[in-house]
Each structure stands twice: as C-alpha cells, then as structure tokens.
Amino acid sequence: MDIQIKTQRLSIRAFEAGDLAAFTKYRADPQIAQYQSWTDYSLEQAQAMFEQMDYQQFGESGLWFQLAIADNQTNQLMGDIALHFIDKQQIEIGFTIAQDYQQQGIAYEAVSAVIEYLFNSLNKHRIVATTDAENLASMALLLKLGFRKEGHYLQNIFFKGRWGDECFFAMLNSEYMTKSKEGVNVLR
C-alpha cells in the first residue's frame, strides 16, 4: 500500500532507506529519548526496523507502522508518526519530532493530517495515545488536537530505573466530525 499524506509543508509517507541516518540521529538525542522507550538508538536498530516494516500489510490488526514526516520541498526527515492498528476500528498513535523542527507546528500539522486520514479515508472509530505524565508538550498537543484525557495512571510503569505515571488520551470519529462541522478545532 502506498501511504502518502500531503499537507502544505509536509509529506507523511513510508520510510525510505535514505531516512535512516537522520532517524537514528534524532532518536539517539537524549532529549528526544527522555520520554521514549529507548535510551540510545543505533543505525543497526533503524535498519532492523526498516527491514521489518512491510507497508503492504498497512492497516492489519495488531501491527505497528512508522511513517516518516518529511519536508515537501527537500524530502528531509523531520520526525515520525507511529501507528498501532489495535484492531479493525481502533488506532494508537505516537509521534516524535527531531529537535531542529520542534516549536514550528510540525507535529500539529503532521498529526492533524494523519487523524484526518484515519477518520475520513480509513473510517476508523477511535484513536488513542499514551504519554508520560511529565511530557507536557505532548499532552498539550493532544489536547489542542481535540483529544480527551481519559486517564492518569499513577506509577503504572517502571521506566528508566523508576516508577512513572502515564496519561491516556482518546478521540472518537464522531467527536472529530462534530468539531469539524462546527468549525471548532478543525485540523490543519
């Protein structure tokens, strides 16, 4: 399946071999890794992820897919979006933006476009996201996008040597459609 979502500035697409050096670089950045499951990230890990990714299975229940966020003009990798197809109707989403591209609206633009695609093109019922309770920027983005905070789990994960809290967010297709019709929080 050819996944290609375009916005004014961005192309959200399947990863290419040429993306792996930039992907490794920002994932190895300690500030980027702070709230992620990894501490360090190697080119070998990026290559293994790339080789295991079969975009022909895109959308199959139980599978995760990484989508590249690239500049429309230069094709430079700026970040990525992870999609976990929990089942036929529910998707878990995650996102990572390289330091050089943070605070520029890249995450909002990219995630907005993916949400629109999941609800309008794929007709999914629900999108969920889990974030570290200390990751204030991610939580603010999810709320700005129209997600609802459904839970704050106290010390539910042993993460990087200590117990941590996580927050759970969700958005229903019906909520997205209602806000879009009202012109409230219309994405993009």
Side-chain angles (χ1 to χ4, degrees):
M1 174 180 247
D2 184 33
I3 303 116
Q4 186 81 310
I5 303 166
K6 294 273 192 180
T7 70
Q8 184 177 351
R9 299 182 291 173
L10 308 173
S11 176
I12 296 99
R13 56 167 173 73
F15 264 82
E16 300 168 353
D19 296 327
L20 299 182
F23 181 68
T24 300
K25 182 180 178 188
Y26 72 75
R27 281 202 161 202
D29 180 333
Q31 286 189 308
I32 297 296
Q34 179 179 4
Y35 301 117
Q36 303 285 5
S37 61
W38 63 86
T39 301
D40 195 16
Y41 203 80
S42 69
L43 184 57
E44 292 77 19
Q45 288 171 293
Q47 288 170 328
M49 182 273 309
F50 179 70
E51 290 168 7
Q52 292 173 0
M53 196 73 45
D54 181 358
Y55 292 102
Q56 295 303 314
Q57 296 179 326
F58 187 79
E60 286 192 24
S61 296
L63 298 180
W64 279 94
F65 294 90
Q66 295 294 134
L67 298 177
I69 302 169
D71 182 280
N72 270 340
Q73 303 298 316
T74 65
N75 202 33
Q76 174 64 43
L77 185 69
M78 305 166 94
D80 62 272
I81 294 180
L83 295 177
H84 175 213
F85 289 84
I86 299 168
D87 56 34
K88 291 191 183 296
Q89 291 300 314
Q90 297 185 91
I91 311 292
E92 181 178 0
I93 193 168
F95 44 87
T96 306
I97 305 297
Q99 282 260 19
D100 292 346
Y101 302 104
Q102 292 184 3
Q103 302 294 315
Q104 298 174 35
I106 301 297
Y108 182 83
E109 187 174 331
V111 177
S112 294
V114 170
I115 290 169
E116 182 179 320
Y117 172 74
L118 293 171
F119 283 147
N120 288 335
S121 298
L122 298 185
N123 198 32
K124 298 302 180 184
H125 173 68
R126 178 177 160 97
I127 302 171
V128 300
T130 304
T131 185
D132 188 295
E134 294 178 6
N135 191 343
L136 302 179
S138 286
M139 290 193 294
L141 176 64
L142 290 167
L143 292 170
K144 182 178 177 183
L145 288 164
F147 280 80
R148 205 174 354 84
K149 185 176 179 183
E150 289 192 342
H152 184 133
Y153 305 111
L154 300 176
Q155 296 184 14
N156 70 312
I157 187 167
F158 195 76
F159 183 70
K160 298 188 179 179
R162 66 182 182 90
W163 285 101
D165 293 5
E166 289 182 316
C167 293
F168 186 80
F169 294 82
M171 182 190 306
L172 297 173
N173 185 313
S174 59
E175 293 170 320
Y176 171 78
M177 294 302 173
T178 298
K179 288 176 184 176
S180 293
K181 285 178 186 170
E182 294 172 353
V184 176
N185 215 12
V186 175
L187 306 178
R188 280 210 254 173

